Amino acid sequence: MKTRVIIVRHGQSTYNQQKRIQGHCDESELTPAGEAQARQVGQALVGIPFDAVWASPFKRARKTAEIITAELKTAIPDLVAPTFSDNLKEISLPLWEGVPFTEAEAQHPEIFDQWRTDPANMVMAVPQPDGAIADFYPIRELYQQAARFWPELLAAYQGKTILIVAHSAINRALISTAIGLGPERFNNLNQANCNISVLNFADGWGSPVQVEAMNLTSHMGAPLPEMRRGHKGPRMLLVRHGETEWNRQGRFQGQIDVPLNDNGRAQGAKAAEFLKPVAIDAAYTSFMARPKETAEIILQHHPGLTLHSVNELQEISHGEWEGLYESEIESNYPGMLEQWQSAPETVQMPGGENLEQVWVRSIAAWKEIIAAHSGGDTVQTILVVAHDAVNKALLCHVLGMGPESFWRFKQGNGAVSVIDYPNGIDSAPVLVTANITIHLSGSVLDKTAAGAL
């Protein structure tokens, strides 16, 4: 029975505004803008049947949770007040708390560099009450804290829908530990103030987890999260094509060139309107009809751009499964469909591809695109429109995950994801936001056709 967990970061705080490091320091409070953001989150979440709200006890998260809960109670009158957990506290940074980022970097340049480039091994020498000095690994400790929280929550709310309100670093640790990432990937995820992330657990702790959406911010006005300070490399907009009739029917498409249906064209138009205010510098697509038409619809608001077709971005070849329904596959290939759904990296499609082949070709094409738009004088934003399996491969690649993690990410028809390369092709990528579909249905939840894959 699926357990849905929606994770929100607190609204803008006084220390956020002043660009100070917060950590365990509890002097920071929500600004008026932060309170407004919290109300916007509450309004965006109205209609989702929450069973409970959990939050960090720190003032900035506590107030955010209370504001959101008040908004939700208009639709869920019996929703109880938030439960507060120390396991949702922000990262402890004892040498820096309350200090401006610039001062922390000037005072401890080596530690600050570790924080940005080698988070798993970031270490602080911290004085102890007895006068001794002890090494403290803040991010390792944070991931242990997140791993302690999940079993407690999931055991208590199996099959329920839970809201968590916490902080940037602990939210990244929660998402990471849920999908099997360690502290070395801490900086590969982004968490903006009052963003919304959605995780689906198939069962309790240790069961498969799907990221339905991550770091959604468009409910607060701007379509996409801001780039981090000092960003120099390309921003990649990864879009899945709109719906086809075979998506709607639940038939396996693969490399059969099924076109968009009317709803798919409408989804393309909504994605185009969503991305209209975003300056796009170059555009690439799979050569197949459904992504190509989706890209062409989006580019109607960006005249003058050439749309480049890339063979390696075509959908996975399902071989003999193409055109079939799941029931037909189970009948003709007993047990293989369950194997595909539980251990996809082990499946060789009869007459088609395996996921390793999809990984190799799609990532090679992706890297070529990034390299072509790195190293210039200006930051470029690049549109790439492709397919469900290809997009999942690219999202996994960004986080260092292989084909065994194929089902970790949901990709709705017409969905938008964003990946930043802060210093171009040679820099570690940042998954800024994943599977935005709010422009399609008005909901933070993905309501596109499940399709078949």
Side-chain angles (χ1 to χ4, degrees):
M1 190 169 9
K2 181 175 73 175
T3 302
R4 171 170 278 151
V5 181
I6 295 181
I7 303 175
V8 173
R9 183 187 173 195
H10 63 77
Q12 184 197 61
S13 69
T14 50
Y15 274 24
N16 290 149
Q17 193 176 49
Q18 297 163 13
K19 295 183 171 28
R20 292 179 178 272
I21 295 173
Q22 298 179 110
H24 274 202
C25 178
D26 202 19
E27 295 180 4
S28 182
E29 302 186 46
L30 290 190
T31 63
E35 293 185 5
Q37 290 171 334
R39 286 190 290 273
Q40 289 172 313
V41 171
Q43 292 158 10
L45 296 178
V46 166
I48 298 175
F50 288 101
D51 296 286
V53 180
W54 281 63
S56 161
F58 289 146
K59 288 185 290 189
R60 55 199 187 271
R62 176 187 290 266
K63 182 66 172 177
T64 302
E66 290 169 348
I67 292 171
I68 295 172
T69 302
E71 294 286 340
L72 295 176
K73 284 177 74 69
T74 61
I76 315 172
D78 58 349
L79 184 65
V80 300
T83 299
F84 299 100
S85 170
D86 285 349
N87 280 330
L88 293 175
K89 286 181 175 180
E90 182 58 305
I91 187 172
S92 174
L93 296 167
L95 299 184
W96 293 346
E97 288 165 0
V99 173
F101 281 85
T102 52
E103 186 177 324
E105 184 174 14
Q107 291 180 348
H108 306 99
E110 292 183 2
I111 302 175
F112 199 90
D113 182 65
Q114 270 191 318
W115 188 25
R116 295 303 191 202
T117 62
D118 187 18
N121 295 311
M122 175 194 175
V123 59
M124 289 183 166
V126 180
Q128 304 299 298
D130 62 2
I133 301 293
D135 285 344
F136 175 59
Y137 293 84
I139 294 174
R140 290 187 197 175
E141 174 56 37
L142 185 74
Y143 275 62
Q144 293 169 10
Q145 175 183 314
R148 289 194 299 269
F149 176 75
W150 280 126
E152 171 191 9
L153 183 84
L154 296 172
Y157 296 99
Q158 187 173 6
K160 305 293 186 180
T161 300
I162 311 302
L163 174 64
I164 293 173
V165 182
H167 310 266
S168 175
I170 182 60
N171 286 5
R172 283 185 265 171
L174 288 168
I175 295 167
S176 294
T177 51
I179 63 175
L181 296 177
E184 69 280 356
R185 292 290 173 179
F186 175 73
N187 289 317
N188 292 107
L189 300 176
N190 194 13
Q191 288 285 285
N193 287 118
C194 270
N195 84 83
I196 298 170
S197 299
V198 183
L199 301 182
N200 297 315
F201 291 80
D203 201 345
W205 181 239
S207 69
V209 183
Q210 175 201 62
V211 179
E212 180 172 333
M214 195 205 77
N215 201 36
L216 307 181
T217 59
S218 50
H219 52 282
M220 294 182 291
L224 306 177
E226 294 181 356
M227 292 182 183
R228 290 180 177 177
R229 183 183 59 180
H231 188 104
K232 299 175 184 177
R235 162 162 281 192
M236 310 296 291
L237 309 179
L238 181 64
V239 178
R240 185 186 174 198
H241 64 77
E243 182 185 278
T244 70
E245 203 53 39
W246 282 20
N247 287 146
R248 174 59 58 186
Q249 295 170 4
R251 297 171 70 179
F252 280 70
Q253 296 181 119
Q255 294 183 359
I256 293 180
D257 208 3
V258 184
L260 298 181
N261 62 16
D262 288 343
N263 187 49
R265 294 185 188 93
Q267 289 172 332
K270 290 177 180 178
E273 191 64 27
F274 180 69
L275 293 172
K276 183 178 180 179
V278 179
I280 297 175
D281 299 287
Y284 296 81
T285 180
S286 157
F287 68 89
M288 300 183 74
R290 51 195 187 268
K292 188 171 184 288
E293 186 177 0
T294 303
E296 289 169 345
I297 294 170
I298 293 171
L299 292 182
Q300 288 175 3
H301 293 307
H302 304 271
L305 287 182
T306 298
L307 180 59
H308 303 278
S309 295
V310 181
N311 289 348
E312 291 77 13
L313 293 177
Q314 67 180 313
E315 183 58 299
I316 183 174
S317 171
H318 285 301
E320 296 169 15
W321 290 12
E322 291 182 359
L324 302 183
Y325 296 96
E326 288 188 355
S327 59
E328 295 173 317
I329 293 171
E330 179 56 34
S331 175
N332 295 334
Y333 306 90
M336 278 195 73
L337 187 62
E338 191 282 329
Q339 182 186 356
W340 170 240
Q341 293 166 344
S342 61
E345 75 281 7
T346 67
V347 173
Q348 173 66 55
M349 296 288 175
E353 290 183 291
N354 59 49
L355 282 179
E356 183 62 32
Q357 291 170 301
V358 177
W359 247 247
V360 169
R361 64 172 169 81
S362 59
I363 291 167
W366 179 255
K367 288 181 176 179
E368 284 187 14
I369 294 169
I370 296 161
H373 298 279
S374 297
D377 295 331
T378 59
V379 174
Q380 295 193 356
T381 298
I382 313 302
L383 174 69
V384 176
V385 184
H387 306 264
D388 194 355
V390 168
N391 286 14
K392 286 175 178 173
L394 294 174
L395 292 172
C396 286
H397 161 69
V398 165
L399 298 180
M401 303 163 79
E404 71 283 352
S405 300
F406 179 72
W407 297 110
R408 289 291 194 235
F409 291 98
K410 190 171 186 182
Q411 283 290 279
N413 291 117
V416 178
S417 300
V418 180
I419 300 99
D420 282 349
Y421 284 78
N423 292 299
I425 185 65
D426 294 325
S427 59
V430 178
L431 181 56
V432 176
T433 182
N435 205 42
I436 307 172
T437 59
I438 194 169
H439 54 285
L440 304 174
S441 64
S443 172
V444 300
L445 303 180
D446 185 345
K447 296 183 179 297
T448 61
L453 184 63

